[in-house]
Amino acid sequence: MTDPFADIRPYHDDEVRPVLDRLLLDAEFLESLAKLRLPQLTARFPALVRPIVRWVLRRELKGIDSVFGLQTLVKKYMDRMIESNTDQFTTSGLAELDAQQPYLFMSNHRDIALDPAFVSYALYHNGHDPVRIAIGDDLLSKPFVADLMRLNKSFIVNRSVKGPRQMLAAYKQLSAYIRHSIENDRSSIWIAQREGRAKDGVDRTEPAIIKMLTMAQDKGRESFADFVNSLHIVPIAISYEYDPCDGAKARELYEKATQGSYQKAEHEDLKSIALGITGTKGDVHVSFGKPLRGEFASPEAVA
């Protein structure tokens, strides 16, 4: 039977080991990891550092052949990152949510990787399963990045498709996958309330995100409001005391204001991901709202 979501969904357990083995042979991935963990040594002796990184990784990944096994390993590094780069991590609202109920978590968007990471961390430590994470294909400029994201329960939003028909097909597939995850797989979803980070600090839900979700509505069987209520949308507000990427965001806003546009450098988003993970965040709070319910008449009303 053909899998209609094979090109966008997270990897399944039987795919984990082959992908890990492929990454262990990926020189670009090993070099990127070496630069992140040992920047000065890698700059001077790249050929020496890469085999060491591969050896350490092979030892760390030995015996891992499932998504759960990999996420257990990732959790160890996530705990370490929070302890070293976050002064205090707090949550609110989780006591009101049912751990057995899958939700569509929709949050403000400040950090590419850490927004969903902090949400998953909070859920995991409060008896909920980690979320499946929506990530734009514009962030997957290197094949190894796509592999890493899909190993860690991310699914792909195809923003780079060209042409009205292709875009419509891509968003219908995405909408159907999100509904399938919640209703059939009983897996919660994380998605940002807008495309791209809110670099000016103004958090507003884009109605276009809601319109995309409703492409999976069965109009002959359910009303718009019934469909929205069936998604169990939970609004989330993530607050960072300090934003490690604040300088880069300010520079982009300044250039747009003074020059009229801003051109990203090659792989700039990958650098933002690394800086967000390793930079100081101060106190972080994740506030979980109540599931959204109401007699909504339009995407704008939901937003």
Side-chain angles (χ1 to χ4, degrees):
M1 184 176 175
T2 304
D3 182 351
F5 310 119
D7 58 331
I8 66 168
R9 61 162 174 76
Y11 288 129
H12 291 158
D13 282 346
D14 61 347
E15 298 168 301
V16 168
R17 192 66 244 173
V19 174
L20 290 177
D21 290 339
R22 182 168 72 232
L23 286 170
L24 287 170
L25 297 174
D26 190 316
E28 193 172 21
F29 165 60
L30 295 172
E31 185 171 346
S32 297
L33 195 60
K35 287 179 179 178
L36 181 63
R37 299 303 301 273
L38 303 165
Q40 294 181 343
L41 196 60
T42 303
R44 296 182 63 185
F45 308 106
L48 176 66
V49 175
R50 200 181 303 137
I52 296 174
V53 172
R54 180 185 289 116
W55 179 81
V56 172
L57 266 183
R58 183 172 286 122
R59 187 181 63 177
E60 289 269 275
L61 298 172
K62 184 179 180 181
I64 292 180
D65 56 6
S66 69
V67 174
F68 177 78
L70 183 64
Q71 288 211 307
T72 300
L73 177 64
V74 170
K75 175 189 171 296
K76 180 177 70 173
Y77 288 101
M78 184 69 181
D79 289 350
R80 190 179 303 168
M81 182 275 293
I82 288 178
E83 290 169 4
S84 60
N85 298 325
T86 306
D87 294 338
Q88 183 176 223
F89 178 73
T90 55
T91 65
S92 60
L94 266 173
E96 307 297 320
L97 300 179
D98 181 357
Q100 304 305 313
Q101 169 67 54
Y103 296 101
L104 174 56
F105 294 106
M106 187 175 294
S107 82
N108 59 337
H109 195 20
R110 299 299 178 85
D111 187 278
I112 295 170
L114 288 183
D115 291 348
F118 276 121
V119 170
S120 275
Y121 180 86
L123 291 169
Y124 180 88
H125 285 280
N126 286 273
H128 295 251
D129 288 334
V131 290
R132 290 177 175 176
I133 300 164
I135 184 166
D137 63 348
D138 53 317
L139 302 176
L140 310 179
S141 56
K142 295 179 182 290
F144 75 79
V145 178
D147 278 341
L148 288 172
M149 293 300 187
R150 295 180 72 187
L151 280 169
N152 201 35
K153 296 187 75 170
S154 293
F155 59 96
I156 299 171
V157 178
N158 285 312
R159 294 174 179 160
S160 61
V161 291
K162 305 297 182 184
R165 288 186 180 179
Q166 290 85 349
M167 289 178 65
L168 181 62
Y171 288 131
K172 279 187 173 180
Q173 180 192 34
L174 176 62
S175 179
Y177 176 72
I178 290 172
R179 181 166 201 175
H180 176 85
S181 290
I182 293 171
E183 292 187 352
N184 297 81
D185 294 345
R186 307 289 295 171
S187 291
S188 291
I189 296 288
W190 176 91
I191 190 169
Q193 67 178 171
R194 51 168 292 157
E195 181 179 325
R197 292 168 292 168
K199 300 178 182 71
D200 57 3
V202 178
D203 298 315
R204 290 197 180 99
T205 300
E206 289 181 348
I209 301 293
I210 309 301
K211 290 177 183 177
M212 177 277 294
L213 293 172
T214 59
M215 287 182 177
Q217 177 192 349
D218 183 348
K219 294 183 179 179
R221 184 175 60 87
E222 59 193 346
S223 68
F224 176 82
D226 286 342
F227 173 71
V228 170
N229 291 331
S230 75
L231 293 175
H232 305 287
I233 299 174
V234 173
I236 293 178
I238 307 175
S239 304
Y240 298 88
E241 184 177 8
Y242 307 120
D243 182 348
C245 299
D246 53 5
K249 290 179 181 179
R251 189 179 307 111
E252 179 176 340
L253 289 173
Y254 175 77
E255 288 199 17
K256 283 182 177 179
T258 57
Q259 309 297 326
S261 64
Y262 175 78
Q263 183 63 44
K264 284 185 179 181
E266 187 179 15
H267 310 311
E268 183 175 324
D269 284 328
L270 295 184
K271 293 179 181 177
S272 293
I273 290 173
L275 182 58
I277 292 172
T278 59
T280 298
K281 288 159 280 290
D283 292 349
V284 176
H285 184 78
V286 181
S287 175
F288 291 83
K290 295 180 179 179
L292 201 65
R293 295 197 63 81
E295 293 302 317
F296 304 106
S298 67
E300 288 75 16
V302 177

